[in-house]
C-alpha cells in the first residue's frame, strides 16, 4: 500500500549513489519485493502477473516477426508463409505469438472473472477496475488488427465486418468507414495502417498497465475475504511469497501454452485463414477468433444493425459502470450466497454466448442468442443493483488473519478489536 | 476589437473581465485553431488517397450473360453483381407491395427502363460488408451467410439485420453489349 514505509537499504556505494539521484531500484524494491500483499491470496490472484509476462512475450515475438513480415496486400500472405518455412525458428516465433494471443485472453478472462467474483471493482478500486477495462479494449483492438496481418480469407473478411460496425453510426458512418479503410474497401492502405497500429498498441497497453499497477499499489490488493488489510499480520512481503506463487502458476500456465504451441498450433485458428484474401468471395461461415465470440453472438442477436452494434459495445461499456451498479456493501462472493449462484450462472451464460457466436446465425441459435444476451445485460443492470438491497449476506471475519487462522487464533490471542495491534512487530 | 480591449482595461476587474482575461482567451483561441490545423493533416492522411480516387470506372462486356445467369466483376475493390434476371424474377420483384419492404423502393427504380432484366448492384451486404450468395435465401435473390440477411430478386432487403437494399452503382450502357460502371 502507498502508506507503507520503504525498507530499501542499499548496501554498496554505487547503489547509494544512484538512490540519491534516481531511486528506481528503491521503487522496484518497494513495489515488488517488500510490498505487502494479503496473506490469503489464492491462485486466482496469480493471473495479473501472468498477464504482464504475456505482454512481454507478445512484444518480443512481435518485434522479431515484424523483421520478416511485409505489410503489403500482395506480399503479406507469402511473407507469413516465408516466416513459417524459411526463417530460422520462424514457425516457433509465429506459433508462440499467435497462440500467445489466445493465452493472453484466457488469462485476462480468468483475471476479469476473479475480479467479478471477489468484488475487486468496488470502492476504493473503481479507477483500478476502469483502467483494466481500458486495457481489455486495447487488447481487443490489438488482437483484431494482428489477426488481419496474415491477409488470409478470415483476416480480410474479419476486417471487413468489424470495420463495417462503424457504418452503423448515423450520418457519419460511411465516411468513418472510408476513413478507416483509406479507400472504398479493405485494401492495401487498411493493411498498412493496421500493421502500424498493431505495433503501436502493445506499448500503449504497457503504459496503461503501469497506471493499473500504480492504482493497485495505492489501494492494495483485494483478497478472497474482501476484508481490507488492517494489521501487519494480515500481509506477507511480495517477495518471496507472492513471487514464488506467481512463478509456480506461471510454469503451469506455460505447460498449457506449450501444449498448444507444439501440439495444437492451429487448433484455436481457422483453416480459412490459410487461403489468401479474396475480396470477391466471402467464406461461407465467418467467425471471429474464439475470444470475441460472446460479443459476436450479442451483435448477431439483434435484428437491427445499429441496435446490434450498440449492444455489442454496450456489453463491454457496462463494465465501466459496474462499480456503481453493484450496490452490495460486501465485496467477496464468499460471503454473498445469492450473488455466488448468479455469478456462476453468469459464467455459464458468457460461455454459452461464446458457443452461440460460433454457430450460424439462424433459427434456434438466434433465439437462444437473444435470451442469453438479455440475461447478460440483466445480470449487470437488474440483478446486481437489486441483490445489494435484498441479499442476506454472511457475517464477515474481523480480519484476514482471523479468517486464515480461524477460532484458535481469536481464542488464543483474544478477540481483538478490528485494526488493533495483534503483535509487537505490528506498525499498523 | 481594440475598443473592447480598452474598455476591459478601464473596468479593471469588473464583470467584463480585465485586459489580461482578454489576452488569455485570445491566446487560448489561437492555440485551439493552431492545434486543429496541425491535427487535421494527421487525420486526413487516412482518407482515400489520389490514386484510390482515380480508380473511377470499369467497362464490362455483358453479351455472354444469358437470362438467369449472373457475373461478378470488381469495381473500386468491390464486387459488382450483374444479373440477367428471368421474366419471372422481374415479375416477382415488381409484384411486392411496398409496405412489405424494409427499405421501400420500386423495382423500376433499381433497373434501367427497357432493360429491366439487367440488375446491376454493388455486391456488398449493407449490414457489415460481406458478399451475399446468389440464388439463395428465402426470397429467391441473395443471402448473406455472415449474419443471415435475405434479399429479393430486386436486391432489396427483406429479412435480417441489414438496414438497406443492395446499392446500385452509377452505370450506363455504352452499347447493346457494353456496360460502364462508375
Amino acid at each position: 500500500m502507498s502508506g507503507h514505509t520503504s525498507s530499501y537499504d542499499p548496501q554498496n556505494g554505487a547503489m547509494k549513489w544512484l538512490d540519491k539521484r534516481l531511486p528506481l531500484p528503491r521503487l522496484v524494491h518497494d513495489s515488488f519485493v517488500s510490498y505487502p500483499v494479503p496473506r490469503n491470496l489464492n491462485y486466482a490472484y496469480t493471473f495479473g502477473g501472468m498477464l504482464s509476462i504475456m505482454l512481454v512475450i507478445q512484444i518480443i515475438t512481435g518485434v522479431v516477426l515484424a523483421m520478416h513480415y511485409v505489410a503489403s496486400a500482395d506480399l503479406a500472405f507469402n511473407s507469413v508463409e516465408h516466416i513459417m518455412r524459411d526463417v530460422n525458428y520462424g514457425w516457433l516465433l509465429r506459433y508462440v505469438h499467435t497462440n500467445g494471443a489466445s493465452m493472453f485472453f484466457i488469462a485476462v478472462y480468468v483475471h476479469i472473472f476473479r475480479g467479478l467474483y471477489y468484488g475487486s471493482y468496488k470502492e476504493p478500486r473503481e479507477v483500478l477496475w476502469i483502467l483494466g477495462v481500458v486495457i481489455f479494449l486495447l487488447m481487443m483492438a490489438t488482437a483484431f488488427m494482428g489477426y488481419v496481418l496474415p491477409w488470409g480469407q478470415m483476416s480480410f473478411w474479419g476486417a471487413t465486418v468489424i470495420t463495417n460496425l462503424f457504418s452503423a453510426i448515423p450520418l457519419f458512418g460511411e465516411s468513418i468507414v472510408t476513413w478507416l479503410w483509406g479507400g472504398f474497401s479493405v485494401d492495401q492502405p487498411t493493411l498498412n495502417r493496421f500493421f502500424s497500429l498493431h505495433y503501436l498498441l502493445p506499448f500503449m497497453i504497457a503504459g496503461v498497465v503501469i497506471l493499473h499497477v500504480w492504482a493497485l499499489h495505492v489501494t492494495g490488493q483485494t483478497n478472497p475475504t474482501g476484508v481490507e488489510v488492517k494489521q501487519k499480520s494480515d500481509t506477507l512481503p511480495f517477495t518471496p511469497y507472492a513471487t514464488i506463487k506467481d512463478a509456480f502458476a506461471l510454469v503451469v500456465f506455460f505447460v498449457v501454452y506449450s501444449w498448444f504451441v507444439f501440439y495444437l498450433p492451429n487448433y484455436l485458428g481457422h483453416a480459412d485463414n490459410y487461403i489468401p484474401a479474396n475480396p470477391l468471395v466471402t467464406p461461407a461461415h465467418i467467425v471471429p477468433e474464439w475470444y470475441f465470440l460472446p460479443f459476436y453472438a450479442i451483435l448477431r442477436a439483434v435484428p437491427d444493425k445499429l441496435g446490434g452494434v450498440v449492444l455489442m459495445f454496450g456489453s463491454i461499456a457496462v463494465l465501466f459502470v459496474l462499480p456503481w451498479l453493484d450496490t452490495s456493501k460486501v465485496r467477496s462472493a464468499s460471503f454473498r450466497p445469492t450473488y455466488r449462484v448468479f455469478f456462476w450462472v453468469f459464467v455459464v451464460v458468457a460461455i454459452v454466448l461464446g458457443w452461440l457466436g460460433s454457430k450460424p446465425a439462424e433459427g434456434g441459435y438466434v433465439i437462444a442468442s437473444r435470451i442469453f444476451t438479455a440475461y447478460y445485460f440483466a445480470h449487470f443492470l437488474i440483478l446486481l443493483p437489486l441483490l445489494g438491497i435484498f441479499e442476506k449476506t454472511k457475517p464477515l471475519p474481523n480480519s484476514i488473519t482471523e479468517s486464515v487462522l480461524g477460532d484458535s487464533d481469536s481464542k488464543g490471542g483474544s478477540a481483538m478489536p478490528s485494526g488493533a495491534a495483534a503483535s509487537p512487530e505490528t506498525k499498523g | 476589437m481594440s475598443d473592447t480591449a480598452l474598455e476591459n482595461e478601464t473596468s479593471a476587474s469588473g464583470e467584463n473581465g480585465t485586459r489580461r482575461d482578454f489576452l488569455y482567451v485570445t491566446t487560448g483561441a489561437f492555440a485551439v485553431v493552431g492545434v486543429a490545423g496541425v491535427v487535421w493533416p494527421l487525420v486526413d492522411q487516412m482518407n482515400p488517397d489520389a490514386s484510390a480516387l482515380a480508380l473511377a470506372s470499369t467497362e464490362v462486356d455483358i453479351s455472354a450473360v444469358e437470362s438467369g445467369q449472373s457475373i461478378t466483376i470488381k469495381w473500386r475493390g468491390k464486387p459488382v453483381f450483374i444479373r440477367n434476371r428471368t421474366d419471372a424474377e422481374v415479375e416477382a420483384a415488381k409484384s411486392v407491395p411496398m409496405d412489405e419492404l424494409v427499405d421501400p423502393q420500386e423495382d423500376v427504380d433499381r433497373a434501367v427502363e427497357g432493360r429491366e432484366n439487367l440488375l446491376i448492384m454493388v455486391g456488398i451486404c449493407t449490414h457489415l460488408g460481406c458478399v451475399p450468395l446468389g440464388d439463395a435465401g428465402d426470397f429467391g435473390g441473395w443471402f448473406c451467410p455472415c449474419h443471415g440477411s435475405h434479399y429479393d430478386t430486386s436486391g432489396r432487403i427483406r429479412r435480417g439485420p441489414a438496414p438497406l437494399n443492395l446499392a446500385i452503382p452509377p452505370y450506363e450502357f455504352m452499347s447493346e453489349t457494353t456496360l460502364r460502371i462508375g
Side-chain angles (χ1 to χ4, degrees):
Chain A
M1 273 121 281
S2 56
H4 92 281
T5 46
S6 179
S7 64
Y8 180 65
D9 185 20
Q11 293 305 312
N12 73 55
M15 295 308 276
K16 280 180 184 161
W17 182 88
L18 182 62
D19 191 48
K20 288 208 179 81
R21 285 155 182 84
L22 179 72
L24 184 63
R26 177 182 296 277
L27 180 69
V28 171
H29 178 89
D30 293 348
S31 306
F32 304 106
V33 179
S34 69
Y35 179 74
V37 294
R39 63 192 288 171
N40 58 341
L41 295 185
N42 58 30
Y43 277 103
Y45 284 82
T46 59
F47 283 81
M50 262 177 227
L51 284 162
S52 42
I53 301 293
M54 285 313 302
L55 180 62
V56 172
I57 291 176
Q58 290 302 84
I59 289 178
I60 291 172
T61 52
V63 166
V64 295
L65 285 170
M67 294 176 185
H68 303 280
Y69 170 79
V70 185
S72 147
D74 296 327
L75 303 172
F77 187 90
N78 288 338
S79 75
V80 172
E81 285 310 303
H82 163 72
I83 289 170
M84 294 301 292
R85 294 154 197 251
D86 301 339
V87 174
N88 300 333
Y89 292 104
W91 60 273
L92 176 66
L93 295 165
R94 174 160 177 264
Y95 280 154
V96 166
H97 194 73
T98 56
N99 287 285
S102 283
M103 292 301 130
F104 210 147
F105 276 94
I106 288 174
V108 89
Y109 284 132
V110 175
H111 191 65
I112 292 171
F113 278 115
R114 190 270 292 148
L116 292 175
Y117 188 86
Y118 291 119
S120 306
Y121 47 83
K122 291 190 189 195
E123 193 271 319
R125 295 181 182 81
E126 302 93 330
V127 173
L128 172 60
W129 172 261
I130 288 169
L131 287 168
V133 181
V134 170
I135 294 170
F136 181 48
L137 283 173
L138 286 172
M139 277 176 65
M140 293 174 99
T142 310
F144 159 65
M145 288 195 255
Y147 194 59
V148 173
L149 302 184
W151 212 239
Q153 273 290 66
M154 281 295 177
S155 299
F156 185 90
W157 291 102
T160 299
V161 168
I162 301 299
T163 48
N164 261 304
L165 293 177
F166 294 92
S167 71
I169 298 167
L171 299 177
F172 306 106
E174 290 300 329
S175 345
I176 290 172
V177 172
T178 304
W179 178 74
L180 289 172
W181 287 342
F184 302 100
S185 60
V186 172
D187 209 334
Q188 174 62 47
T190 326
L191 174 62
N192 234 144
R193 65 191 54 179
F194 277 18
F195 180 53
S196 169
L197 294 173
H198 182 70
Y199 206 118
L200 166 72
L201 287 183
F203 297 98
M204 293 179 68
I205 292 177
V208 186
V209 166
I210 289 172
L211 298 181
H212 191 64
V213 173
W214 184 8
L216 174 71
H217 285 205
V218 169
T219 60
Q221 262 113 335
T222 51
N223 64 83
T225 66
V227 176
E228 291 287 359
V229 168
K230 291 171 181 167
Q231 58 210 5
K232 196 173 178 193
S233 65
D234 288 347
T235 64
L236 293 168
F238 191 97
T239 301
Y241 298 97
T243 319
I244 289 296
K245 192 161 189 157
D246 281 359
F248 179 69
L250 187 67
V251 168
V252 174
F253 187 71
F254 276 176
V255 170
V256 179
Y257 186 4
S258 306
W259 182 56
F260 276 105
V261 168
F262 294 106
Y263 293 96
L264 296 166
N266 290 301
Y267 181 75
L268 297 167
H270 299 286
D272 274 310
N273 220 27
Y274 284 100
I275 302 168
N278 180 353
L280 297 185
V281 180
T282 306
H285 184 47
I286 71 165
V287 275
E289 290 288 84
W290 69 267
Y291 36 81
F292 293 142
L293 288 174
F295 307 104
Y296 193 61
I298 291 172
L299 168 75
R300 300 194 305 180
V302 188
D304 174 73
K305 179 172 169 179
L306 180 59
V309 173
V310 166
L311 274 202
M312 190 187 76
F313 284 111
S315 65
I316 296 164
V318 74
L319 296 174
F320 281 109
V321 289
L322 174 61
W324 296 275
L325 289 174
D326 185 348
T327 51
S328 177
K329 296 277 177 268
V330 177
R331 248 187 221 113
S332 168
S334 306
F335 303 99
R336 299 183 62 189
T338 322
Y339 171 69
R340 183 157 56 184
V341 173
F342 283 117
F343 168 83
W344 287 111
V345 172
F346 180 73
V347 172
V348 171
V349 165
I351 292 170
V352 172
L353 272 175
W355 175 73
L356 288 168
S358 73
K359 294 291 164 189
E362 57 196 31
Y365 296 127
V366 176
I367 297 164
S369 300
R370 286 179 191 159
I371 295 167
F372 282 92
T373 299
Y375 186 89
Y376 180 99
F377 284 97
H379 176 84
F380 291 109
L381 301 174
I382 300 170
L383 287 174
L384 287 184
L386 290 182
L387 272 180
I389 300 166
F390 295 110
E391 187 177 32
K392 177 115 180 63
T393 56
K394 291 188 199 164
L396 293 174
N398 286 319
S399 70
I400 295 170
T401 310
E402 184 190 292
S403 80
V404 174
L405 301 180
D407 288 341
S408 62
D409 177 62
S410 46
K411 273 175 201 153
S414 80
M416 50 198 166
S418 60
S423 43
E425 73 271 26
T426 301
K427 286 172 191 128
Chain B
M1 200 137 100
S2 58
D3 284 348
T4 323
L6 278 171
E7 268 175 39
N8 286 343
E9 197 178 20
T10 50
S11 68
S13 62
E15 285 170 22
N16 296 327
T18 61
R19 180 192 170 98
R20 181 156 295 184
D21 291 337
F22 173 78
L23 289 173
Y24 276 140
V25 171
T26 315
T27 312
F30 270 94
V32 167
V33 172
V35 167
V38 172
V39 166
W40 178 244
L42 293 171
V43 173
D44 193 43
Q45 55 82 22
M46 280 176 65
N47 271 317
D49 60 27
S51 70
L53 292 171
L55 293 170
S57 59
T58 310
E59 286 193 14
V60 199
D61 179 6
I62 50 170
S63 59
V65 189
E66 299 285 338
S67 182
Q69 289 187 333
S70 80
I71 58 168
T72 304
I73 58 117
K74 199 169 162 184
W75 170 69
R76 283 185 158 185
K78 299 175 178 186
V80 171
F81 297 152
I82 301 169
R83 172 123 159 192
N84 193 346
R85 299 183 290 178
T86 62
D87 292 337
E89 285 173 339
V90 177
E91 275 315 304
K94 282 186 170 168
S95 62
V96 178
M98 282 301 110
D99 55 7
E100 278 185 22
L101 297 175
V102 180
D103 177 18
Q105 196 179 19
E106 295 280 1
D107 186 62
V108 288
D109 297 329
R110 296 180 57 78
V112 172
E113 206 178 341
R115 308 203 65 166
E116 281 109 347
N117 286 39
L118 281 172
L119 182 62
I120 293 132
M121 307 183 297
V122 176
I124 298 280
C125 180
T126 56
H127 182 223
L128 295 175
C130 298
V131 179
L133 306 168
D135 282 315
D138 294 351
F139 299 89
W142 287 263
F143 171 70
C144 183
C146 294
H147 308 95
S149 292
H150 298 259
Y151 296 89
D152 66 12
T153 54
S154 189
R156 293 173 299 199
I157 179 66
R158 299 299 290 276
R159 200 170 72 221
L164 299 172
N165 302 332
L166 291 176
I168 309 287
Y171 66 88
E172 58 180 329
F173 291 101
M174 307 301 289
S175 70
E176 199 59 21
T177 57
T178 317
L179 173 72
R180 195 175 75 172
I181 299 167

